[in-house]
Amino acid sequence: MDRPAAPRQGPGLSGRKAEAARNDRAILDAARVVFIRDPTAPISAVADEAGVGVGALYRRYAGKEELLRTLCADGLRRFIAIAEHALSDEVAAAESFAVFLGAIIDADVHSLTVRLAGTFAPTGDLRALAGQANALAERVFRRARHAGALRGDLKVNDIAMLFEQITAVRVDDPERTAALRRRYVALLLDALRPAAVTGRLPGPPPTSDELGVRWRPAAAEGAGRS
């Protein structure tokens, strides 16, 4: 049964698939750059950044909203992979949160949350990915806290705010941005260790509703207030 399929694996088709994969990655990488810089940018700006024609982009995505959803899903999958690594046996429990936080910041996946939230309607698949990402982040948090690596009054919902504080650090030079972020990640991690505690944190952490409201499209928010 497998033999008739063999000719489809020829070098020509493989080359086309490889080119298509490169174009897809170029488009998503360009979309990250463009929409982190300006979420209101037109889809043509992504084509220009990627060095492809607008027609090639529209052959892959029906429009900007579909591209944004795909970009968000790509970011969530990166987040999930980083969290799974932090939970693996390769990473000591006491180091798991530091590894997780540093890798998320280096990958810059949380910048998408800050910039794209509310600009499109999430699908069920995206919500499922987000739920998986949140569950894994909570496991990393609890693993590290159980190992005595995190102060006791830190809560899991604080994590999103920590990401936002660090991803707000941005200068024109990407390498300088990465270096500055690593500096403040190091400072932040020192502040999160139990040895640094001199008093309890004031006020409660953000609620799940406060964190989730950003993902409601702006139009829906306006309709809800009318």
Side-chain angles (χ1 to χ4, degrees):
M1 293 296 294
D2 294 334
R3 293 179 64 85
R8 299 173 62 188
Q9 306 300 317
L13 188 57
S14 295
R16 288 196 295 273
K17 285 183 177 179
E19 182 179 2
R22 285 193 297 271
N23 286 342
D24 284 342
R25 177 43 57 191
I27 288 170
L28 288 178
D29 288 346
R32 281 176 55 82
V33 171
V34 168
F35 293 133
I36 286 176
R37 184 171 59 224
D38 178 11
T40 67
I43 201 168
S44 59
V46 177
D48 290 343
E49 181 75 24
V52 301
V54 174
L57 196 151
Y58 275 111
R59 282 194 294 273
R60 290 170 172 78
Y61 303 100
K64 180 177 177 178
E65 184 138 326
E66 183 181 341
L67 177 56
L68 290 175
R69 290 192 186 107
T70 303
L71 185 62
C72 185
D74 184 65
L76 283 168
R77 291 188 186 99
R78 292 187 189 196
F79 185 105
I80 287 167
I82 289 168
E84 288 176 338
H85 172 68
L87 289 165
S88 71
D89 292 339
E90 299 174 35
V91 179
E95 298 298 323
S96 56
F97 187 78
V99 168
F100 171 67
L101 180 66
I104 292 292
I105 296 301
D106 279 348
D108 206 18
V109 295
H110 199 74
S111 291
L112 292 173
T113 298
V114 177
R115 301 297 282 166
L116 301 186
T119 62
F120 64 93
T123 63
D125 287 345
L126 277 178
R127 291 191 183 94
L129 278 174
Q132 183 182 357
N134 289 337
L136 287 167
E138 183 168 357
R139 285 179 57 196
V140 173
F141 172 81
R142 297 196 183 285
R143 184 184 188 218
R145 192 167 68 176
H146 182 72
L150 296 175
R151 55 189 296 162
D153 54 352
L154 187 71
K155 305 300 181 185
V156 69
N157 277 3
D158 288 317
I159 296 175
M161 295 294 99
L162 299 180
F163 287 146
E164 290 200 20
Q165 291 172 37
I166 301 300
T167 54
V169 177
R170 187 180 297 276
V171 295
D172 289 340
D173 180 354
E175 290 186 7
R176 182 62 178 148
T177 293
L180 286 171
R181 286 179 176 180
R182 291 188 189 112
R183 176 182 177 85
Y184 296 115
V185 164
L187 283 169
L188 184 60
L189 287 170
D190 279 346
L192 297 181
R193 294 188 174 96
V197 176
T198 58
R200 292 194 62 81
L201 294 171
T207 67
S208 295
D209 282 345
E210 287 170 331
L211 293 177
V213 69
R214 73 184 70 199
W215 285 106
R216 298 174 194 166
E221 281 289 288
R225 289 192 294 269
S226 62

